[in-house]
Each structure stands twice: as structure tokens, then as C-alpha cells.
Amino acid sequence: MTARDFTNSEKFKDLVRTRWTFSFIMLAILFVIYYGYIFLVALHRDFLAVMVGRNITVGIVLCTAVIIGSWLLTLIYVAWANKVYDKKVESLKQDLQ
């Protein structure tokens, strides 16, 4: 199988489509998390200044949630890549041999 035949195969196109779709969904979620927080900082400072503990504000809690959310998105992506993407790549590698 030539490189051109390989890149035009349905399995390869499906692999690329699946990766881009999943990546864009994860990117959209990340943008909502990050820019949602930035918009809150820009537009609702009073809300972020509300104390929820002795020395903790809503802003600190949400900032921590943004960081943890980015870690979770990374874990989700790695788990997806290991379970779905890598299996499809291995299947394509077998087709080349």
C-alpha cells in the first residue's frame, strides 16, 4: 500500500476525523472554563470578592476550579487517547504491514 493509498483510506480519514472532533470538543470546554472565569473577573468583580471562608473568596475558589478543570481535561484526553486513539493507530499500523 502506498502512502497516497493509505492517507486516502477510510480508516485513516476516520482516525483523523475522530481525533480532530475530540480535540475541538476538549478545546471548546477549555475555552468556556478559562474565558468564563476571565469574563467573571472583568464583569462581576463584586461577586468574586464575596467571602466564603475567613480568608477565601469566590474568586479563589473558582480560580482553583479552573486549574483542577484543566487537569481533569488533560486526564480525560489521555484516557481517551489510550483507549480509543491508540487502538485505531495500532490497527492502521497492522494494515501497513
Side-chain angles (χ1 to χ4, degrees):
M1 176 181 282
T2 66
R4 174 164 279 216
D5 293 336
F6 179 74
T7 57
N8 287 328
S9 71
E10 284 304 312
K11 285 178 85 172
F12 181 76
K13 289 179 181 179
D14 180 56
L15 175 72
V16 172
R17 188 179 319 109
T18 301
R19 184 192 60 179
W20 278 107
T21 301
F22 191 81
S23 295
F24 278 125
I25 290 169
M26 296 296 284
L27 180 65
I29 293 169
L30 183 68
F31 273 20
V32 167
I33 291 171
Y34 280 152
Y35 287 108
Y37 181 73
I38 296 301
F39 283 133
L40 279 175
V41 169
L43 302 174
H44 298 288
R45 289 185 185 182
D46 295 337
F47 171 69
L48 295 176
V50 172
M51 299 297 285
V52 293
R54 187 172 176 179
N55 296 319
I56 300 174
T57 63
V58 171
I60 293 171
V61 172
L62 290 179
C63 180
T64 304
V66 167
I67 294 168
I68 292 171
S70 66
W71 291 346
L72 289 174
L73 287 175
T74 302
L75 289 173
I76 291 167
Y77 184 83
V78 169
W80 173 81
N82 289 338
K83 289 182 182 178
V84 177
Y85 185 72
D86 288 347
K87 287 181 182 178
K88 288 185 177 188
V89 168
E90 286 302 317
S91 173
L92 282 172
K93 284 181 182 178
Q94 295 299 322
D95 289 349
L96 282 176
Q97 295 175 354

